[in-house]
Amino acid sequence: MSDNQNNFAIAILAAGKGTRLKSKHPKVLHEIAGKPLLGHVVAAAKHVVPANQIFAIIGHEAGLVRAAMASTGIEFVEQKEQRGTGHAVLQTREALKNFHDVLVLSGDVPLICKETIERVLAFHRESGAAMTVLTTEPADPFGYGRVFRKDGGRSDEVERIVEQKQLSEKQLAHREINSGIYAFRVKSLFAHLEEIKTDNPHGEYYLTDIVKILADAGEKVVALRADDANEVLGVNTRQDLAQLDAQLRADKCRALMNAGVSIFKPETCLIDADVQVGPDTVIEPFVQLLGETKIGSECRIRSYSVVSNSTLGNNVLLRNGSIVDQSHVADGALLGPYCHLRPGSDIGEQAHVGNFVETKKAKLGKGSKANHLTYLGDAEIGTGVNIGAGTITCNYDGVKKYGTKIGDNVFVGSDTTLVAPIEVGSGAYIGAASCITENVPEDALAVGRGRQVNKEGWAKKKRTEQKKK
Ligand code: UD1
Ligand code: CA
């Protein structure tokens, strides 16, 4: 295919509102497996042609769709009013004028894969057709346009496509459906596209009407059956979203297990499409691994942990209920239970972050420990540091944030408050319950609290007086 790859573009229908989802957000930005529907289609398209040969036809909330897809580098064509799929494709006339063929994909048919796109294209080329329709025969054809072939169904050639609402009583049981994926010879497509009329229940320009128009004009229209009916399922309702999401996630778990990852009760886990996990890592029930997360090997992710857009090294243990967001955790670190790593946390090798500890933009050096009830924000903490229970970095004065710097091998006693900006030198020791407002020199002891006073017999005397009353 590569010899004339430049002659071939991909257009993706993505301008529709998605009325059946009852959503104010554009349909193609609804997510399955943690990625917008359109993102899945674009990813498949990018496996076949370079991004600048991919044209998304956008309209409803075009700005949002454009922004969500900006990083993919694809091109956009606007359909200002959504007057049907035929009208949508018409908008690409100028953009496609130098291409020989165009493959049309639907932004709401997200499971399409590279191999199928290539099969459609090869079949289209070999048959010398003006148009190729990818079809399938799902268990329930309801809602799809039906594909009627010539010679009572025996031919490769197609006579016409009839939309669900226009099916006659007799045609209702016809099972071969239109996947919404097509290849066209660009010249033939635009020579006839404007002949489509709006004489249908929605008053729209149906792209599917082009089949009969081309066939009547003596052009060849062929159909190719998809190997896997699941791959061309369209998303029209929230139920469809849930079904495809579940299917993709099950596939993802299966692929990870095949690559050596243990997942117990995979049906309870949510693992996004782009997550990577190394072999011999064990994932317990009810775990969520989201976004661009990368987890090393020999890790254990215990139940109810949620890791999003983060990197974990090897041999990391996440005890139950650990939340890790946009953070980095090095080899052998031990987290949780119930810790919260907020964006920008960087946990060093063998470091510990324990029960009810929250970190944000905090670097914890190798072997350092913050095991209980602590907040570390905007902090840079060296190696071998012990952060006692209940330590708080006071990093915010209501307007600005300030940093805390703690050197290597510091011992911070329990219930210490560190009022930033503040620096604690290496090897220093901070007495428990201190409020530290001044920098602490290396190897010093800092104690910042009121002195204890013991009043002998005071309590006993008080009780006696209270009894008299
Ligand atoms: C369409 C096909 C149907 C096929 C099904 C497969 C038509 C008329 N029917 O039906 O034969 O079985 O897909 O999933 O084409 N869109 C625009 N601009 C518009 C209207 C729609 O860009 O003006 C986009 C939508 O965003 C969507 C795609 O085109 O991504 C398909 O539109 P949709 O309304 O979902 O068509 P279906 O009813 O599913
Ligand atoms: Ca659809």
Side-chain angles (χ1 to χ4, degrees):
M1 187 185 304
S2 53
D3 50 329
N4 52 4
Q5 209 185 43
N6 289 335
N7 260 334
F8 144 60
I10 294 182
I12 307 174
L13 293 164
K17 188 166 186 292
T19 315
R20 286 163 282 185
L21 286 180
K22 301 194 170 65
S23 172
K24 66 176 182 189
H25 309 294
K27 177 191 202 171
V28 293
L29 293 189
H30 279 262
E31 292 184 354
I32 57 172
K35 195 148 101 180
L37 295 174
L38 183 56
H40 287 275
V41 181
V42 169
K46 279 178 78 170
H47 283 302
V48 187
V49 290
N52 64 359
Q53 286 171 229
I54 301 171
F55 300 87
I57 305 160
I58 55 173
H60 179 69
E61 294 285 11
L64 290 179
V65 179
R66 206 184 267 269
M69 292 297 125
S71 65
T72 66
I74 62 166
E75 305 289 325
F76 298 94
V77 173
E78 283 211 31
Q79 182 195 20
K80 295 243 155 24
E81 267 179 278
Q82 284 69 66
R83 301 172 69 188
T85 46
H87 179 257
V89 171
L90 189 60
Q91 313 309 309
T92 64
R93 186 199 284 267
E94 189 53 31
L96 298 182
K97 68 178 181 213
N98 293 324
F99 292 97
H100 188 271
D101 292 290
V102 60
L103 205 120
V104 176
L105 302 177
S106 267
D108 65 349
V109 181
L111 304 191
I112 188 72
C113 69
K114 164 183 181 261
E115 288 73 22
T116 306
I117 295 175
E118 285 174 345
R119 258 187 78 214
V120 172
L121 200 73
F123 189 80
H124 178 70
R125 294 246 165 92
E126 279 159 27
S127 59
M131 173 180 186
T132 300
V133 190
L134 182 68
T135 73
T136 186
E137 295 189 10
D140 179 12
F142 181 85
Y144 291 97
R146 309 297 208 283
V147 177
F148 293 91
R149 297 176 183 241
K150 290 183 177 172
D151 300 330
R154 283 181 296 277
S155 174
D156 271 351
E157 289 197 42
V158 180
E159 205 166 74
R160 63 193 161 131
I161 294 178
V162 182
E163 289 303 306
Q164 174 74 37
K165 286 205 170 141
Q166 291 158 303
L167 290 168
S168 68
E169 197 72 18
K170 235 179 75 191
Q171 290 171 327
L172 277 173
H174 187 84
R175 287 200 39 224
E176 186 168 18
I177 63 109
N178 166 26
S179 68
I181 291 165
Y182 325 87
F184 289 99
R185 190 190 301 133
V186 170
K187 222 170 110 191
S188 308
L189 170 67
F190 292 109
H192 295 281
L193 197 52
E194 280 170 298
E195 293 164 34
I196 292 178
K197 299 199 170 54
T198 55
D199 51 350
N200 55 61
H202 284 130
E204 288 188 356
Y205 294 94
Y206 286 169
L207 179 60
T208 44
D209 286 350
I210 192 97
V211 173
K212 186 161 186 308
I213 294 169
L214 287 171
D216 287 350
E219 297 257 31
K220 192 172 174 186
V221 181
V222 295
L224 171 70
R225 277 195 183 82
D227 293 333
D228 177 6
N230 273 339
E231 196 188 322
V232 294
L233 286 175
V235 172
N236 293 317
T237 63
R238 301 267 178 178
Q239 284 81 351
D240 295 337
L241 269 181
Q243 188 193 333
L244 264 55
D245 180 74
Q247 189 178 316
L248 270 189
R249 291 186 189 281
D251 290 350
K252 178 72 190 183
C253 284
R254 214 170 299 125
L256 288 175
M257 289 189 275
N258 285 338
V261 179
S262 283
I263 307 178
F264 296 114
K265 295 235 178 229
E267 67 278 13
T268 67
C269 295
L270 281 188
I271 305 182
D272 282 356
D274 295 334
V275 170
Q276 298 175 42
V277 185
D280 284 322
T281 283
V282 178
I283 298 171
E284 295 190 356
F286 299 101
V287 160
Q288 299 191 13
L289 305 177
L290 310 173
E292 312 259 316
T293 288
K294 199 174 164 191
I295 293 177
S297 55
E298 310 263 357
C299 294
R300 187 160 193 117
I301 316 295
R302 292 203 177 276
S303 294
Y304 310 112
S305 290
V306 180
V307 184
S308 49
N309 297 303
S310 295
T311 313
L312 271 57
N314 302 323
N315 285 298
V316 172
L317 169 62
L318 256 62
R319 291 197 180 114
N320 299 54
S322 298
I323 312 286
V324 181
D325 185 18
Q326 297 168 61
S327 292
H328 176 261
V329 180
D331 294 354
L334 204 155
L335 269 56
Y338 312 110
C339 65
H340 187 184
L341 268 51
R342 290 167 51 207
S345 299
D346 185 352
I347 309 304
E349 272 178 53
Q350 315 285 337
H352 294 189
V353 178
N355 307 252
F356 305 104
V357 172
E358 175 182 344
T359 63
K360 186 220 71 175
K361 281 193 194 150
K363 186 176 159 66
L364 198 59
K366 183 174 176 178
S368 290
K369 294 175 183 170
N371 272 330
H372 330 268
L373 305 161
T374 285
Y375 173 62
L376 301 172
D378 303 297
E380 209 183 304
I381 297 159
T383 60
V385 172
N386 185 80
I387 305 280
T391 297
I392 307 286
T393 55
C394 309
N395 61 330
Y396 187 46
D397 64 3
V399 183
K400 275 183 152 178
K401 300 275 168 68
Y402 303 92
T404 297
K405 237 182 162 165
I406 298 177
D408 297 340
N409 304 312
V410 167
F411 181 93
V412 179
S414 296
D415 192 28
T416 293
T417 49
L418 297 150
V419 183
I422 197 99
E423 276 188 45
V424 180
S426 296
Y429 196 104
I430 297 176
S434 287
C435 175
I436 301 297
T437 54
E438 281 166 38
N439 290 348
V440 181
E442 273 187 28
D443 296 318
L445 164 69
V447 185
R449 58 167 125 95
R451 272 202 166 275
Q452 180 171 330
V453 181
N454 289 343
K455 295 192 175 175
E456 293 285 343
W458 185 93
K460 196 174 179 187
K461 200 174 135 209
K462 174 99 179 157
R463 276 194 299 274
T464 319
E465 278 169 15
Q466 280 170 330
K467 268 186 204 151
K468 277 187 207 153
K469 279 184 192 166

